[in-house]
Amino acid sequence: MKNSIIKKILSGSLVLAIGAATLAGCGNTATSNAGDTKVTSETVESAESATGTGNTVETDVIKSITISSASDWETFNPILATSYYIDFIADQVFDKLVFAEEDGSATPRLAERWEFDEGDSGITWYLNPNAKFSDGEPVTADDVVFTSQLYSRPDITNTRRSIIANIAGTDDTGVELSEKSVEVEAVDEHTVHMTFKTPYAESYVLSQFGGQFFIYPKHIYEGISGDDFNNPSYWSNPIGSGPYKIVKSIDGAEVDLEANHDYFLGDPDIDYLYVKVYDSANLISALQTGEIDYTEDIPVTDVPTAKEDTNLAVESTPSTWVEAVVINNSDPLLSKKEVRQAINYAIDRQAIVTTLLQGEGVVKYVPYADNSPFFAADVEYPEYNPDKAKELLASAGWDESKTVELQVTTGEEQLAVLVQQYLTAVGINTNIQSYDFTTLISNIRATGEYQLAFMSGISALADPDKPASWLTTNRSYNFAWQTDTTLDELYDQGRVLVDDASRKEIYAEVQRQVIEQAPISYLYTNNLIVAHNSKLTGLSIGIFGNRNWKIHEWKLAD
Amino acid sequence: MNRNYALKRIIEIPITLLGITLLAYVIACLAPGSPLDMMTDPDVRPEEIEAARIRMGLDKPIIIQYLYWLKNVFMLNLGTSYRTRKAVSGMIGECIAPTLLLTVSSVVIALAVSIFIGIKAGLKPKGFWNEIANVFSFITSAVPSFFFALILIYIFAVRLKLLPTNGMYDNAMDVRFGSLIRHLILPLSVLTMTQIGDLIKQTRAAVIEVLKEDYIKTARAKGLPFGRILRKHVIKNSMAPIVTVLGMKLKFIFGGAVVTEQIFNWPGIGKLLVSSISSRDYPTIMGIVLLIATAVLIGNFILDIIYGLLDPQITY
C-alpha cells in the first residue's frame, strides 16, 4: 500500500516536472545572455594550410562568419538559375564590371573607368589590369568579349540574357543573330567596347552591367558545349575572379567559401564564409547563440529581440521589393476602373506599414522607388479615404451583396486580414483563401482563376521599364488580365526614347495611368532588414538591394 | 514459407509499384500549378516558357509522360530534376544517408528504451516502471514533434547554448565525427521521443498477454528460474507485435522525418521531398515515391519471413 502511494507521488511529480519544463519553454525571452561571437581562432598550422603557403608563418586568427540563406540555390552557375538565391554566392565568386550603387551611379569593379560614346550609342570599359581569376590567370578584354558571346548563344539556357539585349548584333531577346555577332570587341588587352542598338540611359547601362553580367574566364570555358553549360553538375566549382571561391558544399544545405587573398580590390578580412540554409523561425535563436553572424531574412517580429541583444546589430534600408494586390481586371465584378480605384482609396497603407511591418517599410502607390530618377513626385495619389472609396463604388453601381475572394500565399494571412478589414469597411465583402505559392502563381498567371491576390516583386530603381511585365498585355505576365492597352503604348514608347527629359515624362505618365486605371493596387515596399553580429563592420547596406555586397570591405573585429 | 507463396509475393511487388507510381504521377500532375510556374523572373518571355514546357515534355498527355518516365526507370534512369537540373538518382543518393542515420538511430534507440521499459512495466502491472511507461506514452503521444523540437531548441540552444540547431556539421569543410554527433543529438531526441509512447504501450501489452499463456505457467511450475523464462520464452514471444510495428515504420525510415528535417535543416529525403513538391519537381517526387514504395514493399516481405521464423505456428 505504502509503496504504491510513494510511486504515485513520484510519477505525479515527474509529470509535473515535465509539464513545468514545457511551460517554461513557452515563456518569452526577456534579455538573453551575452552570446559568443563567432571568431574562431586556430593554431598556426591551420593558418598555414588554409592560405597554402609553406614558408611564411601566419599568426593571424582565421576569421569566419556564417550567413543564412532563405532557400537553397539551384546551381552555382548564376545564368542558369531561375531564382535569386544564388546571387549572393555569385557576387563572391564572380565579378561584374561595376558595383551598382544606391543612387544609380556605379563604382569601379572589373572596370576601373568607363566612357560612353557620343550620344550614348556605346560604351568603352577600361579594365583593371590587376584583376585575376582564382586560378591566377589575368582578366582581360577577351574574357568580357567571351562572356558577351556566351550570354548571347542560343544553345545556352540563360535567364539573365536580357542584360545584353540592347547590344548590337543580337535579336530582341539578346540571342546572337549569327555566330559571335554580338558587337563587343577587345580594343586592346584591357579595353573593351560595346555598341548599342539604340542609345540607352547611362544609369540604366551601369545598373545592368553592375547587376547580373558575371564575367566568365575564356581560358576555362571556351569551346564549352551547350549541353555541358546547361548541365548543373558541371558547375560544382565555377572559376571566377571574385573575392571568394567555393571550397565545399552540401547540396541543398550549405556552401563554404574561402577568401581569395590576392583579390585585386583588396584582401578580404574574413577568411571563410559559411552560407547555410536556415528556416526563418530559427534565425533569432541562431543569432543569439552565435550560430549565425549575418542574415537578411529575419522576420519583422523578431527585430525587437535582436535589437535588445548587445551582441547584435540591426540595420535596415528601403528596398525595391514591392507588395501589391493584383486585381483580375477581366473579372466582371472588377472590370470597372472605379471599383479598382476604390480599392486603392480603401486601404490605409501607412497603418499597415506601422503595425504589420513595425515601420520597416515605405508606402507605395506605384512600382517606382522613391529614389529612382524616374519617380514622379507630382502624381496625385489615392491616399486613404474610405468615403471617397464608397463614392466611387456607388458611381460604379457596386452591389454590396457580392463577395470577392482574396487569394494569398500561406504565411501572408496577417496582411490578408488587414486588407480584408479595409475592403469590408467600404462595402467590398472579402473572403480570404490561402494556397502554396505554386498554386497561387498558377491561378494568377496560367488560369486567371482569381479575383484579388497578393503578389510581390521588384519595383523600378534605375530601369523604369522593369514593372512593365506586370502592367502590360503584350509582355510576359499579364497578371492583372488587362484588356486596356494604354500602359502597353506608354511602355513601348518609353523603351526607345533616348533623352532623359522625355523619358522622365513618359514614365511620369505611366505612373499617372497606373493610378488612373488601377490595374494593380501597390501597397508598400519592405525594407531590407539586416541583423548581424555587432563585431561585423563595413557593411554598405544600401547597395545590397542591387545584389552586390562588397564583402571584401567587411571587417570582423576580434 | 511455402515456395508458391513466396513467388506470389515477389511478383506482386513490381505490379504494386506500377500502380503506386502511376497514381502518384497522376495526382502530382493534377495538382494545380506546374514546374513552369517557378519561372517568375520578370524578364523571362512567354516563348521561353513555352520552350521549357516542350523541353520538359509537359505538353504531352499525362499517361504518355508517365510512360516516358517508366521507360527511363527500366533503363535505370530516374531522370533529371526540373529544379536543379541534376540527376534525380544523384540527389536522392546524397540525401538517403543523412536520413537513414537519423531515422534508423531513432528507431533503434526508441526500440531499446521501449522494450526495456515495456517489459519491466508488463511484468509488474502496478510497479514503478508501469508508472514511467504511462507518463512517457501519455506525453509523447500527445505532444507533436515540432513542439518538442522547439522546446529542445529553446532549452539546449538558446538558453544553455550547448547544442547546435542547424545542419549536420559545424560547416561543410569540417566533417568531423564529433561535430556530427553534436548536431545529431537534438533531431534524434525529437524523433526518438515521438516514437517511444506507442512502442512502450505495445510491448507492455504483448508482455502481459504472453505472461497469461499456459506455457509460462507450465515453465514456472516446472521450477525454471524466472530469468530463464524471461529470456527463452517471454521476450521471444512478445516480439511479434514489434515486428509488425517495424513494418509500419519502414515508410518513416526511408521517407524521412519531414518536419524534423525542415526545422533542423537536416539534408535528408524529407527535406528534399518538401522542396520538390513545392516546386512541382515531378521527376524528383516520383523518384522519392519509388524509393519509399520499394523499400516498404520489400521490407514488409522480409519482415513477414522473419515473422514466420519467430512463430513457427504461422504458415503461409
Side-chain angles (χ1 to χ4, degrees):
Chain A
M1 212 48 209
K2 218 158 59 166
N3 265 345
S4 70
I5 289 179
I6 291 178
K7 285 187 172 110
K8 291 249 187 279
I9 293 175
L10 269 174
S11 51
S13 352
L14 192 57
V15 175
L16 276 175
I18 295 181
T22 313
L23 286 172
C26 293
N28 292 326
T29 30
T31 48
S32 54
N33 302 325
D36 297 319
T37 55
K38 200 60 176 158
V39 175
T40 48
S41 357
E42 311 235 328
T43 60
V44 172
E45 292 111 78
S46 352
E48 278 185 88
S49 57
T51 55
T53 52
N55 305 325
T56 52
V57 174
E58 298 252 309
T59 49
D60 298 321
V61 288
I62 299 278
K63 295 185 183 177
S64 62
I65 58 172
T66 306
I67 297 168
S68 80
S69 174
S71 174
D72 68 336
W73 35 88
E74 304 149 49
T75 161
F76 288 131
N77 182 353
I79 70 180
L80 281 186
T82 58
S83 69
Y84 290 106
Y85 297 105
I86 182 59
D87 284 15
F88 183 84
I89 298 166
D91 183 58
Q92 313 318 314
V93 174
F94 293 96
D95 277 319
K96 304 147 193 173
L97 288 171
V98 291
F99 287 111
E101 297 288 339
E102 294 174 72
D103 55 1
S105 68
T107 48
R109 194 164 178 176
L110 271 181
E112 54 181 9
R113 60 188 176 88
W114 48 92
E115 261 166 35
F116 280 91
D117 293 351
E118 192 67 40
D120 288 342
S121 58
I123 186 172
T124 306
W125 305 98
Y126 298 92
L127 304 179
N128 188 324
N130 297 324
K132 292 195 174 54
F133 289 108
S134 56
D135 61 355
E137 291 295 312
V139 179
T140 66
D142 283 340
D143 296 303
V144 179
V145 172
F146 169 72
T147 301
S148 313
Q149 291 166 353
L150 204 62
Y151 266 64
S152 62
R153 275 170 61 172
D155 60 334
I156 284 183
T157 321
N158 185 350
T159 51
R160 326 267 174 149
R161 206 194 304 274
S162 57
I163 292 172
I164 58 162
N166 190 43
I167 301 185
T170 65
D171 70 15
D172 272 350
T173 64
V175 170
E176 58 193 5
L177 298 171
S178 61
E179 199 178 326
K180 299 191 181 170
S181 63
V182 61
E183 289 190 27
V184 176
E185 29 173 54
V187 173
D188 63 40
E189 205 185 338
H190 296 292
T191 314
V192 190
H193 180 263
M194 293 178 173
T195 312
F196 300 144
K197 290 178 192 165
T198 63
Y200 247 68
E202 295 186 7
S203 60
Y204 176 68
V205 170
L206 292 174
S207 75
Q208 290 291 75
F209 289 101
Q212 301 179 25
F213 190 63
F214 303 96
I215 303 298
Y216 290 79
K218 176 176 180 176
H219 64 280
I220 307 260
Y221 299 120
E222 180 167 34
I224 187 174
S225 71
D227 284 338
D228 276 344
F229 195 88
N230 295 335
N231 180 358
S233 322
Y234 194 83
W235 295 97
S236 57
N237 200 344
I239 309 273
S241 60
Y244 287 86
K245 52 184 184 281
I246 296 174
V247 288
K248 194 86 193 293
S249 69
I250 298 181
D251 237 22
E254 177 179 340
V255 60
D256 295 350
L257 300 157
E258 182 181 3
N260 172 7
H261 293 288
D262 298 322
Y263 187 54
F264 66 103
L265 289 178
D267 180 5
D269 187 45
I270 300 170
D271 302 292
Y272 290 96
L273 305 176
Y274 306 128
V275 184
K276 299 188 188 179
V277 176
Y278 260 85
D279 201 55
S280 59
N282 293 345
L283 286 173
I284 185 63
S285 57
L287 278 168
Q288 289 174 310
T289 58
E291 244 180 271
I292 62 175
D293 301 288
Y294 175 95
T295 176
E296 293 179 5
D297 310 311
I298 188 167
V300 171
T301 43
D302 288 330
V303 168
T305 315
K307 284 185 174 165
E308 277 171 10
D309 191 328
T310 49
N311 293 305
L312 301 177
V314 180
E315 301 172 64
S316 69
T317 181
S319 79
T320 52
W321 194 252
V322 66
E323 184 78 38
V325 181
V326 183
I327 306 173
N328 188 343
N329 287 221
S330 298
D331 185 289
L333 285 179
L334 304 163
S335 54
K336 291 210 177 120
K337 72 175 178 190
E338 288 81 10
V339 173
R340 304 193 297 265
Q341 287 171 353
I343 292 178
N344 265 336
Y345 280 102
I347 301 176
D348 188 351
R349 292 162 175 75
Q350 186 54 57
I352 295 180
V353 168
T354 311
T355 55
L356 200 56
L357 302 183
Q358 310 203 357
E360 295 286 1
V362 176
V363 168
K364 279 266 137 238
Y365 296 92
V366 290
Y368 286 83
D370 283 1
N371 54 338
S372 162
F374 298 94
F375 178 71
D378 59 347
V379 175
E380 200 188 305
Y381 286 144
E383 292 184 7
Y384 178 55
N385 190 340
D387 292 326
K388 183 90 198 264
K390 288 181 192 164
E391 252 179 64
L392 284 163
L393 286 173
S395 74
W398 176 258
D399 177 358
E400 291 205 357
S401 68
K402 298 280 188 212
T403 310
V404 288
E405 186 182 73
L406 170 61
Q407 294 185 10
V408 309
T409 312
T410 40
E412 291 184 315
E413 284 82 0
Q414 279 185 309
L415 177 62
V417 166
L418 286 176
V419 169
Q420 177 191 44
Q421 275 174 16
Y422 289 123
L423 293 181
T424 311
V426 299
I428 304 177
N429 298 317
T430 313
N431 268 345
I432 300 175
Q433 188 64 248
S434 62
Y435 294 108
D436 68 297
F437 178 71
T438 312
T439 305
L440 184 75
I441 246 271
S442 170
N443 287 351
I444 298 178
R445 181 168 80 185
T447 59
E449 277 170 22
Y450 79 100
Q451 290 177 305
L452 301 176
F454 284 162
M455 269 296 288
S456 47
I458 310 248
S459 60
L461 187 58
D463 174 13
D465 191 63
K466 203 125 193 111
S469 50
W470 285 20
L471 290 169
T472 52
T473 66
N474 57 359
R475 306 257 193 118
S476 321
Y477 305 112
N478 187 4
F479 284 156
W481 294 79
Q482 288 188 79
T483 46
D484 187 279
T485 56
T486 318
L487 285 167
D488 293 10
E489 286 157 22
L490 289 172
Y491 270 115
D492 284 344
Q493 280 178 49
R495 272 179 122 179
V496 296
L497 284 179
V498 180
D499 69 289
D500 271 348
S502 34
R503 293 188 91 216
K504 284 196 176 141
E505 239 184 75
I506 276 274
Y507 289 110
E509 185 57 28
V510 162
Q511 289 167 62
R512 268 176 236 120
Q513 287 303 320
V514 167
I515 300 296
E516 176 65 25
Q517 301 288 334
I520 296 180
S521 175
Y522 291 93
L523 300 178
Y524 55 81
T525 50
N526 286 298
N527 280 357
L528 172 65
I529 304 175
V530 172
H532 62 88
N533 184 337
S534 50
K535 292 192 177 164
L536 201 52
T537 56
L539 282 60
S540 315
I541 183 169
I543 58 167
F544 294 173
N546 288 334
R547 324 306 293 164
N548 36 221
W549 284 266
K550 290 192 184 170
I551 295 192
H552 64 287
E553 291 180 355
W554 292 12
K555 302 235 175 301
L556 184 66
D558 292 328
Chain B
M1 181 177 276
N2 181 330
R3 195 165 296 179
N4 278 341
Y5 179 76
L7 222 57
K8 191 178 85 149
R9 286 292 299 268
I10 293 178
I11 293 181
E12 267 174 9
I13 290 179
I15 298 180
T16 315
L17 281 177
L18 218 61
I20 293 175
T21 51
L22 178 58
L23 194 62
Y25 200 83
V26 168
I27 292 179
C29 286
L30 289 180
S34 81
L36 302 166
D37 293 321
M38 301 312 286
M39 300 170 72
T40 50
D41 190 300
D43 297 316
V44 167
R45 300 160 158 266
E47 309 88 62
E48 280 168 25
I49 299 181
E50 245 339 276
R53 183 193 307 275
I54 294 176
R55 188 177 62 230
M56 292 183 197
L58 295 170
D59 53 324
K60 304 194 171 48
I62 294 181
I63 186 75
I64 304 284
Q65 292 179 41
Y66 174 73
L67 290 173
Y68 265 119
W69 178 80
L70 199 59
K71 182 186 83 162
N72 279 331
V73 170
F74 277 126
M75 301 198 296
L76 300 182
N77 176 9
L78 287 178
T80 316
S81 158
Y82 292 152
R83 187 175 61 98
T84 64
R85 270 165 281 192
K86 292 192 183 153
V88 171
S89 48
M91 284 166 69
I92 293 183
E94 279 170 11
C95 290
I96 193 87
T99 289
L100 287 178
L101 173 62
L102 202 50
T103 52
V104 171
S105 320
S106 74
V107 169
V108 164
I109 297 178
L111 275 178
V113 172
S114 312
I115 292 179
F116 176 77
I117 297 182
I119 290 181
K120 287 268 188 202
L123 290 177
K124 283 210 188 114
K126 289 214 197 322
F128 167 72
W129 286 105
N130 195 34
E131 298 301 329
I132 296 275
N134 284 337
V135 166
F136 258 118
S137 59
F138 168 68
I139 290 181
T140 61
S141 308
V143 178
S145 62
F146 66 84
F147 193 64
F148 247 134
L150 292 177
I151 294 183
L152 289 182
I153 290 176
Y154 181 72
I155 297 177
F156 291 98
V158 181
R159 282 275 144 195
L160 298 177
K161 300 191 201 301
L162 275 180
L163 294 170
T165 63
N166 181 289
M168 282 173 75
Y169 302 101
D170 284 341
N171 55 73
M173 297 188 308
D174 192 16
V175 175
R176 284 177 306 173
F177 189 66
S179 177
L180 177 62
I181 295 292
R182 286 180 68 232
H183 284 257
L184 190 57
I185 294 179
L186 285 183
L188 188 57
S189 308
V190 171
L191 286 179
T192 311
M193 288 296 267
T194 47
Q195 293 176 71
I196 286 184
D198 283 337
L199 283 175
I200 290 183
K201 279 196 272 202
Q202 276 164 332
T203 317
R204 178 177 61 185
V207 165
I208 292 178
E209 275 303 304
V210 166
L211 282 176
K212 289 193 207 146
E213 292 284 346
D214 286 340
Y215 58 84
I216 297 289
K217 288 199 198 137
T218 314
R220 298 184 84 153
K222 280 201 300 193
L224 281 177
F226 193 66
R228 198 146 146 224
I229 299 181
L230 195 63
R231 269 173 279 126
K232 277 200 78 166
H233 299 289
V234 174
I235 291 184
K236 184 164 156 227
N237 290 309
S238 321
M239 286 302 100
I242 298 296
V243 172
T244 315
V245 160
L246 271 182
M248 296 193 295
K249 290 219 175 289
L250 278 170
K251 113 168 121 36
F252 159 73
I253 290 179
F254 283 90
V258 170
V259 173
T260 308
E261 283 183 14
Q262 199 74 21
I263 294 180
F264 292 101
N265 196 32
W266 193 264
I269 295 274
K271 197 151 174 294
L272 183 62
L273 188 59
V274 168
S275 50
S276 306
I277 292 177
S278 12
S279 51
R280 307 292 191 271
D281 186 3
Y282 302 142
T284 312
I285 298 176
M286 294 302 290
I288 298 178
V289 165
L290 187 62
L291 168 75
I292 299 178
T294 310
V296 170
L297 287 171
I298 295 184
N300 272 314
F301 179 57
I302 295 177
L303 284 173
D304 281 344
I305 298 180
I306 296 179
Y307 206 50
L309 289 173
L310 271 182
D311 185 353
Q313 285 185 350
I314 294 176
T315 50
Y316 294 101

